[in-house]
Amino acid sequence: MKKGFMVILAILSFLLIPGIAFAEGATPESNAIAIDTVWVLIAAFLVFFMQAGFAMVETGFTRAKSAGNIIMKNLMDFSVGSVIYWLFGFGIMFGASYIGLFGTTGFAISGAFDHLGLDIPIWAFLIFQTVFAATAATIVSGAMAERTKFIAYLIYSLVIIALIYPVVGHWIWGGGWLAERGMIDFAGSTVVHSVGGWAALIGAFLIGPRIGKYSKDGKAKAIPGHSITFGALGVFILWFGWFGFNAGSTLSGTSPDIALIALNTNLAAACGAIAAMLVTWIKYKKPDVSLALNGALAGLVGITAGCAAVSPLGAAIIGILAGVLVVLSVSFIDKVLRIDDPVGAISVHGVCGAFGTAMVGLLAVDGGLFYGSDASLLVTQLIGIGAVFAWTSITALILFGAIKYTIGLRVSKEEENIGLDMSEHGMEAYPGFQMKSHSV
């Protein structure tokens, strides 16, 4: 086995780094650019693999009768998103800025991008940003699972990737007004995850709960997912891909920062899982598997903003607090707000994304309040969180409202009861198996 691993490693090295060290006429500068380009591409491929992770988490945490529909949504939000982000989203996000609000150039990767100051080719940067954009859209899918029309999903995913997400990205990453204020969101706790989480909140609120989720007196009922194994596989895939998500955001394979970022990412995930497990053990008398898995994701989302700015101790603290927060948030949204979120996407991505962004203002080694600095960074972080919440919530409300009152957001009661696999796609993910129904 060891020999086989070494052979595979040698082949990958030959394919991925051709001639970096031995190219005739190469300079240290050109070698560094080549290494950085390969690093960004590998990181992009890791983040792309996270689509499979999201698909498995959502599929496992929901019922079998809509599993095929979930796979189709994850396939198409990336496929449609790749095209629409190339045509419109990238230009709005990284084009020349109009008063710090949105980009006005670079649509379909036309024109120059010298203002970005990139060393790597623009094509590498585009594919890296494309996989991030797809992540923001697919987050919404989980919160609205099992009752959303497929055509409605395609429309709102397109708008999120073409407009809602890129505007926020421009504010923080594209040289916009929040970037000018000095906001730190290194890999997207707010840009990616909170945008997806807040859009999910509005969407889940407007579409309403699944049939059978709440009793006539408003008491929440559990609707178990059909495969905790798929859910766990998805979380491990996401954990793995997150190393590309965070460390890849350096855009440099020659930066020593990637080691600290990877360590912080792992510590936050591990501490989040442990904290969520302990809280559920105390709260429910048994350690809850699904919430422990979401605890790992909460830690990952929480550390994404500050993975390059905090110490390992800070990362552990963020992970622990995010793991506790996600358990409390899931219960609050389910039982108090009575919003049906089958996978906990709002809590994991929206709530913990905002929390992690705020924690940078406290725990950043350079500029954090707990490290002797003033509150200016914390204030900037809070302003950014509030602005992104307002923009995303208002635009999502308009988007989902328009869909709801035109073509409709939700399938019929009959279609929901038989499952979206049959009603939307005319097939079953598990043909021959008896599916349980929660019809009333």
Side-chain angles (χ1 to χ4, degrees), residues 424-437:
E424 290 283 274
H425 308 288
M427 52 77 68
E428 293 180 333
Y430 304 100
F433 286 79
Q434 184 67 36
M435 302 301 176
K436 295 173 68 175
S437 175

Side-chain angles (χ1 to χ4, degrees), residues 174-254:
W177 67 279
L178 285 172
E180 291 177 354
R181 283 192 61 98
M183 182 176 178
I184 297 175
D185 186 12
F186 185 77
S189 287
T190 287
V191 173
V192 179
H193 296 282
S194 281
V195 167
W198 300 143
L201 173 66
I202 301 301
F205 170 73
L206 285 182
I207 200 170
R210 291 168 291 174
I211 295 171
K213 173 61 182 176
Y214 296 99
S215 63
K216 292 181 179 180
D217 61 0
K219 185 177 181 180
K221 298 179 182 179
I223 302 180
H226 83 282
S227 176
I228 198 69
T229 308
F230 281 175
L233 175 62
V235 169
F236 283 118
I237 290 173
L238 289 170
W239 194 329
F240 175 64
W242 229 288
F243 292 114
F245 203 99
N246 287 356
S249 293
T250 59
L251 303 181
S252 173
T254 57

Side-chain angles (χ1 to χ4, degrees), residues 13 83 118 157 165 180 183 213 235 262 325 327 350 362 419 424:
S13 299
V83 176
L118 296 172
S157 292
Y165 167 76
E180 291 177 354
M183 182 176 178
K213 173 61 182 176
V235 169
L325 180 61
V327 176
L362 300 176
E424 290 283 274

Side-chain angles (χ1 to χ4, degrees), residues 367-433:
L369 189 63
F370 291 171
Y371 282 81
S373 297
D374 60 26
S376 58
L377 177 58
L378 177 61
V379 170
T380 295
Q381 299 296 100
L382 295 176
I383 289 172
I385 291 166
V388 171
F389 176 78
W391 162 258
T392 306
S393 299
I394 292 169
T395 53
L397 185 63
I398 295 170
L399 171 62
F400 289 121
I403 295 173
K404 181 175 181 177
Y405 294 109
T406 52
I407 64 171
L409 263 179
R410 186 168 185 146
V411 298
S412 68
K413 180 178 178 180
E414 293 73 21
E415 290 171 327
E416 184 177 345
N417 279 330
I418 66 173
L420 301 193
D421 284 4
M422 286 301 299
S423 64
E424 290 283 274
H425 308 288
M427 52 77 68
E428 293 180 333
Y430 304 100
F433 286 79

Side-chain angles (χ1 to χ4, degrees), residues 27-157:
T27 65
E29 182 180 359
S30 65
N31 282 344
I33 292 172
I35 293 170
D36 292 346
T37 301
V38 171
W39 168 249
V40 170
L41 290 175
I42 292 174
F45 305 153
L46 285 172
V47 179
F48 168 71
F49 190 43
M50 291 172 70
Q51 284 289 125
F54 282 115
M56 290 298 96
V57 169
E58 187 180 344
T59 302
F61 285 4
T62 54
R63 288 171 291 185
K65 62 182 181 179
S66 296
N69 171 259
I70 289 166
I71 298 301
M72 187 68 165
K73 289 191 298 182
N74 279 270
L75 170 67
M76 296 315 300
D77 69 35
F78 187 82
S79 301
V80 172
S82 292
V83 176
I84 204 68
Y85 189 74
W86 163 61
L87 288 173
F88 300 107
F90 187 83
I92 293 172
M93 193 161 172
F94 292 105
S97 185
Y98 175 74
I99 62 173
L101 295 178
F102 52 85
T104 57
T105 61
F107 299 102
I109 313 302
S110 59
F113 291 90
D114 295 340
H115 62 281
L116 296 178
L118 296 172
D119 292 324
I120 61 174
I122 191 64
W123 319 113
F125 188 63
L126 169 62
I127 190 63
F128 186 70
Q129 293 300 329
T130 297
V131 293
F132 273 58
T135 297
T138 202
I139 288 167
V140 186
S141 172
M144 300 174 67
E146 299 195 63
R147 69 266 202 211
T148 304
K149 286 183 176 180
F150 183 66
I151 183 63
Y153 179 77
L154 289 179
I155 293 171
Y156 75 66
S157 292

Side-chain angles (χ1 to χ4, degrees), residues 317-340:
I317 292 171
I318 290 171
I320 291 168
L321 295 177
V324 174
L325 180 61
V326 75
V327 176
L328 302 178
S329 177
V330 164
S331 179
F332 179 79
I333 289 171
D334 188 38
K335 297 177 181 178
V336 179
L337 298 183
R338 295 178 184 172
I339 294 175
D340 182 16

